[in-house]
Structures are given as C-alpha cells and as structure tokens.
C-alpha cells in the first residue's frame, strides 16, 4: 500500500505544470485605458481614486471621503464635509482646496442635473 502511494505521488509530480498552481512570478495584463474622467464609461478612476460618495445597490448615496453633504434648492451648490485624517499617497492631507478645482466638476454637475428628472 505504501509503495503504491509513493508510486502514485511520483507519477503525479510528472504531470504538466498546468495541473499544479504556480506561485510567484509576474502577472502582466493589458488594460484598455479610456479615461480618468468619472463621467465617462469604462474609466479607471475607481481603481486609482476614492470618491466623495459611493452608491449602494439601491442607488442610495453612501459616505466615502465625504461624511455628510447638502445642496441648495437648485442643486447648483453642494457642500461636502470631508472625512478627517485622510491623506494622499505622499502624506498631504485631503482638504477642500484639493477637492474643489477638478476640471470635470462642471460636467458632473450637468450630468446630475440632467439625471434628476429621469428618475
């Protein structure tokens, strides 16, 4: 019995490597880069940046970098309260000045305003 088990293990070790896991090495992937603009489809932004809010499966806003938010009656002015203690990768603290001057903010606001009437 023991001799049979040893023979089986010896034969199994000679099988092609595809049947055994390979640990270590380098994984190379090709990614179709479209944009970091969060208002476009197929962007890489969620893989690189955190957002102020996220959305649940039922499309309800959930806190992320912002812990609270409010808007004016026209949905034109938004105020976000930022999570304390958040830092960028280089140690710089997250501030309102770092969040506000985003080039795509006007397009995002227009997108939200146009979407409000659809639901």
């Amino acid at each position: 019995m023991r001799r049979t088990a040893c023979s089986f293990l010896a034969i199994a070790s000679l099988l092609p490597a595809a049947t055994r896991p390979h640990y270590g090495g380098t994984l190379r992937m090709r990614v179709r880069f479209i944009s970091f603009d969060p208002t476009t489809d197929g962007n890489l932004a969620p893989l690189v940046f955190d957002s102020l809010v996220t959305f649940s499966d039922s499309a309800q806003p959930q806190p992320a970098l912002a812990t609270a938010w409010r808007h004016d009656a026209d949905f034109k002015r938004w105020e976000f309260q930022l999570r304390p203690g958040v830092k960028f990768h280089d140690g710089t603290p997250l501030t309102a000045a770092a969040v506000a001057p985003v080039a795509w903010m006007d397009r995002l606001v227009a997108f939200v305003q146009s979407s409000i009437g659809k639901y």
Side-chain angles (χ1 to χ4, degrees), residues 32-49:
R32 184 174 170 224
F33 178 75
I34 296 174
S35 172
F36 279 120
D37 185 344
T39 61
T40 62
D41 289 333
N43 68 72
L44 296 176
L47 300 175
V48 180
F49 306 107

Side-chain angles (χ1 to χ4, degrees), residues 12-54:
S13 68
L14 298 174
L15 292 175
T19 61
R20 294 177 294 173
H22 177 76
Y23 298 99
T26 302
L27 172 65
R28 291 187 175 94
M29 302 175 27
R30 185 173 196 171
V31 177
R32 184 174 170 224
F33 178 75
I34 296 174
S35 172
F36 279 120
D37 185 344
T39 61
T40 62
D41 289 333
N43 68 72
L44 296 176
L47 300 175
V48 180
F49 306 107
D50 286 331
S51 59
L52 293 175
V53 297
T54 60

Side-chain angles (χ1 to χ4, degrees), residues 37-80:
D37 185 344
T39 61
T40 62
D41 289 333
N43 68 72
L44 296 176
L47 300 175
V48 180
F49 306 107
D50 286 331
S51 59
L52 293 175
V53 297
T54 60
F55 292 94
S56 68
D57 292 338
S58 60
Q60 296 300 312
Q62 302 294 316
L65 289 176
T67 57
W69 54 90
R70 62 179 176 225
H71 55 80
D72 66 0
D74 296 328
F75 290 90
K76 291 185 179 182
R77 184 174 174 89
W78 289 76
E79 183 178 320
F80 293 91

Side-chain angles (χ1 to χ4, degrees), residues 1-2 7-8 17 24 31 47 70 78 86 88 105 109:
M1 175 78 177
R2 186 175 183 153
S7 298
F8 177 73
V31 177
L47 300 175
R70 62 179 176 225
W78 289 76
V86 175
F88 288 99
M105 188 61 77
V109 168

